[in-house]
Amino acid sequence: MKVAIVGSGPRGLSVLERMAARIAERPVDEATDIYLIDAHQVGSGRVWRTDQPKWFLMNTVADEVSAFSGQPDGGPARPGAGPSLAQWWKSVDPDYPGPNSYAPRALHGRYMQFILGTIEENLPENVRLIPVKATVDRLERVDGSYRLTFRESAHLTVDRVVLTTGHTVPEPTGNQRRLAEYAAARPSLRYIAGDSAADMPLDAIPAGSPVGVLGLGLSFYDVMAALTEGRGGTYEEDGAGGLVYRPSGSEPVLVAGSRSAMPLPARGRNQKHHDHRYDHMLFTTERILAQRPHGEISFAEDAVPWLLAEVELVYYATTLDARHGPGKSAAFVAEVVAAAEDGVPDVVAIAAGYGLGDVPRIDLDEQARPFAGRHFDSPEQFAAALTRALADDLAHAEAGNVDDPLKAALDVIRDSRAVIRSLVDFAGLTPTSHREDFLGWYVPRSSFLAAGPPRVRLRQVMALLRCGLLRIAGPDTRFLPDPESGRFAVHSPYVAGSKVLVDTVLDARVPTPDVRTDPHPLTRSLVAQGIWTSYVNRGADGDRFDTGGVAVTEAPFHPLDKDGRADTGLYVLGIPTEHTRWFMQGGSSRPGFWTDFVQNADAIAADLLTPLRGAVPAPAGAALAR
């Protein structure tokens, strides 16, 4: 039996860990070779490789991250029982900063290497793990097996293949293509396409050069760090709760912007235990599906009202506890839950009855677009408004994700991902709702409000704004060629006098995966052969939405070919299936319980091992956490 796992980031490593854990529980008789293949670093992959700089940080606290499918049990670390990232970090670093710290991505890559070594040490003699550092450019079926062709001109034939490939860099389209072509015709200009900041050609940007940075999400913070700390600058405490940036003189000047003009808000200071699980009281899969027992779901009509009610419930309950002491919200919560028996409760009206009529409502649009509808007479006026918004967000974040009403409420969005997946995945929504309500409206707001960086990043933004090395242009920032000057122009139509000429435009947004346009040779090979197809959400009324995600079955996620048949020797998990399923970029599970991250990996592991020993049940206690 020969199995190839192509892509050894967190998804591929999780499949391998679950295979090893299952083999330890029930050994296989047949000799088995497992090829773990990665083009960058076997065991860590590209995004988590160990040679990247320390200033690229995770955005999840270390105590909430584990790549083992079980907690330590007093015995040695092994597949199915091993330390979380925080526990391992503490064991290897005398300067370990604590469980609620944000680890550098390279450190998480070292943790993954530890897991890989632990897996290899615990495999029985008849199971071999064979690491292969190579790029797979082609996969084809050959006489019931699969032939992999490597860019390095070698070949490998195996019985099963797990494809857990990560992000690729798509060809630019639309305005990005226009900017790229404009730069290509002018040697003094640069256009840098969206990618992991660790792989962008940032060293080519000269000191003092103005750089237009498109996007203010998580990748923006990576780019910001690389072009400041990465150029030798340092931050110092200013004695008043802020930071002062000390330039090295090697930095460029960043002119950034996005639709919102607000850098991604900070995660609230973590106050939750690593195995915290939020129990939904209003927004549940069962409640939403009961509304549409025989039909497709409209996300805007059937799901959003209940989700917002859940967010508001936590917001007002936390406010009550903050004003009157812990536990004072119990009667309010009970009244809201009782009202839900008759439909979506009016949480705001019920809260007013408890003396909270003066508390402003949570508006997701306003939170995600804080400057929408406003015009500014000058860049200075906008900068003042931005500084106030950043300071306000930091104050909320410092108060914590349990004690602060706003951050606690927004954490509900993060804690609702599994419920949302149960509604959305595999065409759970109508095609129009999938495309417009969910991907068009909800996903950008969810990404903005529930996936923020460590608080220190916003403190750094404020320091850079003060010293002049960072400027944010304003709402609905435009990045355009400027033929008159022969450069690029960055400006906001809502900020008078905001136009700035720059020599580089850098796309600091994560590329959206799309099997139809992915230029990687492996993807193109699979599509050309009809092995991979794009998943189409087909509505009962004839409407359709071609998602761009790889079409797969439900667990164990076999791809569906051009004739709609499942290829049971192949498995596809993670980023290639984004939009067929949702939030496939998630890179870890939690210690203490199985999330669907491990559940998915285990389903594939069980199916891979089935030919060797018959059906294998899931381990006890492996229920999907919602």
Side-chain angles (χ1 to χ4, degrees):
M1 180 73 173
K2 293 183 178 182
V3 176
I5 301 175
V6 182
S8 69
R11 294 278 186 182
L13 191 65
S14 186
V15 171
L16 176 64
E17 194 265 356
R18 285 309 306 156
M19 286 185 71
R22 281 180 167 274
I23 289 170
E25 293 167 2
R26 291 186 59 191
V28 295
D29 296 327
E30 186 176 338
T32 304
D33 288 344
I34 306 172
Y35 295 85
L36 188 62
I37 305 169
D38 202 285
H40 301 277
Q41 183 178 15
V42 177
S44 300
R46 180 167 76 108
V47 171
W48 305 101
R49 66 181 189 269
T50 58
D51 64 352
Q52 60 189 304
K54 63 182 180 181
W55 46 79
F56 296 133
L57 302 179
M58 300 180 70
N59 69 313
T60 302
V61 296
D63 204 33
E64 293 183 352
V65 175
S66 181
F68 283 100
S69 55
Q71 296 191 85
D73 58 4
R78 62 196 184 281
S84 68
L85 172 60
Q87 292 167 327
W88 173 84
W89 189 1
K90 183 178 181 180
S91 74
V92 300
D93 186 356
D95 297 321
Y96 167 65
N100 290 319
S101 301
Y102 293 85
R105 286 207 289 267
L107 184 80
H108 185 271
R110 286 175 52 200
Y111 172 60
M112 294 173 70
Q113 291 296 314
F114 164 74
I115 294 160
L116 179 62
T118 301
I119 292 169
E120 190 165 18
E121 290 168 5
N122 285 275
L123 290 174
E125 290 185 359
N126 64 327
V127 179
R128 293 194 305 166
L129 176 62
I130 304 166
V132 180
K133 184 179 179 182
T135 303
V136 178
D137 275 348
R138 184 173 177 83
L139 179 153
E140 53 196 329
R141 300 187 187 98
V142 178
D143 298 329
S145 299
Y146 300 91
R147 178 182 169 93
L148 304 178
T149 301
F150 298 109
R151 188 168 298 174
E152 295 76 8
S153 299
H155 301 277
L156 174 67
T157 300
V158 296
D159 302 295
R160 301 284 184 95
V161 181
V162 182
L163 295 164
T164 50
T165 52
H167 283 289
T168 60
V169 181
E171 296 294 335
T173 59
N175 192 51
Q176 279 58 55
R177 181 175 181 178
R178 180 186 177 194
L179 294 171
E181 291 175 346
Y182 183 76
R186 292 161 178 81
S188 61
L189 302 184
R190 297 169 200 80
Y191 173 78
I192 300 176
D195 197 0
S196 168
D199 294 303
M200 290 180 175
L202 301 181
D203 290 344
I205 299 173
S209 173
V211 179
V213 183
L214 200 172
L216 291 169
L218 290 173
S219 292
F220 159 74
Y221 290 106
D222 288 341
V223 168
M224 181 187 82
L227 294 176
T228 52
E229 293 174 278
R231 294 290 181 98
T234 58
Y235 294 94
E236 298 176 2
E237 297 286 342
D238 67 2
L243 295 177
V244 174
Y245 183 72
R246 305 298 183 193
S248 68
S250 298
E251 300 91 344
V253 178
L254 307 183
V255 183
S258 67
R259 282 174 297 198
S260 73
M262 178 71 182
L264 204 64
R267 290 285 304 278
R269 177 175 58 86
N270 187 53
Q271 299 175 293
K272 299 176 181 179
H273 193 264
H274 65 74
D275 64 356
H276 167 80
R277 278 169 272 193
Y278 178 73
D279 292 323
H280 288 78
M281 290 173 276
L282 305 175
F283 181 57
T284 65
T285 302
E286 295 73 22
R287 175 169 269 143
I288 306 304
L289 293 181
Q291 298 176 145
R292 297 278 184 167
H294 305 296
E296 302 159 309
I297 295 169
S298 163
F299 193 75
E301 296 175 8
D302 302 323
V304 169
W306 287 101
L307 174 60
L308 293 182
E310 190 85 44
V311 169
E312 290 172 337
L313 174 63
V314 172
Y315 178 61
Y316 289 111
T318 307
T319 302
L320 273 172
D321 288 342
R323 288 186 176 184
H324 304 294
K328 297 300 183 182
S329 62
F332 163 72
V333 171
E335 185 173 343
V336 171
V337 172
E341 296 301 316
D342 298 321
V344 181
D346 189 342
V347 181
V348 177
I350 296 172
Y354 287 80
L356 299 182
D358 62 322
V359 178
R361 294 190 65 167
I362 282 192
D363 184 321
L364 295 191
D365 285 324
E366 185 176 316
Q367 291 293 324
R369 304 283 187 270
F371 308 112
R374 297 173 61 183
H375 289 75
F376 300 89
D377 294 334
S378 67
E380 292 75 20
Q381 187 184 53
F382 172 71
L386 174 63
T387 299
R388 288 192 296 271
L390 291 168
D392 185 57
D393 182 67
L394 266 175
H396 285 293
E398 291 290 350
N401 61 1
V402 171
D403 293 340
D404 183 78
L406 178 62
K407 292 298 181 180
L410 293 179
D411 249 23
V412 172
I413 296 175
R414 180 173 181 254
D415 292 333
S416 297
R417 287 170 181 161
V419 176
I420 290 174
R421 276 192 288 263
S422 72
L423 303 174
V424 170
D425 288 2
F426 301 107
L429 305 178
T430 67
T432 297
S433 186
H434 191 178
R435 180 177 55 247
E436 298 177 4
D437 303 335
F438 185 66
L439 294 176
W441 182 81
Y442 179 73
V443 169
R445 285 153 183 78
S446 170
S447 299
F448 187 84
L449 298 172
R455 303 185 306 283
V456 67
R457 288 302 197 207
L458 266 72
R459 299 176 71 210
Q460 292 171 348
V461 164
M462 295 178 75
L464 293 171
L465 288 169
R466 283 193 294 268
C467 79
L469 284 176
L470 171 63
R471 175 175 173 180
I472 295 177
D476 198 19
T477 309
R478 311 292 173 84
F479 295 79
L480 300 168
D482 189 67
E484 184 177 348
S485 66
R487 303 169 77 187
F488 296 111
V490 181
H491 84 283
S492 165
Y494 300 98
V495 180
S498 62
K499 180 178 177 179
V500 178
L501 298 176
V502 301
D503 300 316
T504 301
V505 169
L506 185 157
D507 192 342
R509 300 172 300 175
V510 176
T512 301
D514 191 325
V515 69
R516 298 164 300 181
T517 58
D518 182 352
H520 195 283
L522 176 59
T523 304
R524 301 272 45 87
S525 160
L526 292 166
V527 171
Q529 296 174 78
I531 297 173
W532 272 12
T533 58
S534 176
Y535 186 80
V536 179
N537 181 345
R538 292 182 170 86
D541 60 356
D543 190 15
R544 67 195 304 274
F545 170 43
D546 191 342
T547 68
V550 174
V552 293
T553 66
E554 296 191 20
F557 314 112
H558 299 303
L560 298 169
D561 68 15
K562 58 182 173 55
D563 297 316
R565 297 171 302 190
D567 191 325
T568 56
L570 294 179
Y571 310 81
V572 189
L573 185 62
I575 287 169
T577 64
E578 183 68 30
H579 302 325
T580 305
R581 307 172 67 205
W582 179 59
F583 205 71
M584 291 293 98
Q585 71 268 33
S588 67
S589 189
R590 298 277 293 276
F593 63 96
W594 280 20
T595 64
D596 51 2
F597 185 92
V598 178
Q599 191 93 350
N600 292 173
D602 185 68
I604 292 176
D607 199 72
L608 283 165
L609 296 172
T610 296
L612 304 181
R613 62 186 184 207
V616 183
L624 175 63
R626 293 209 180 278

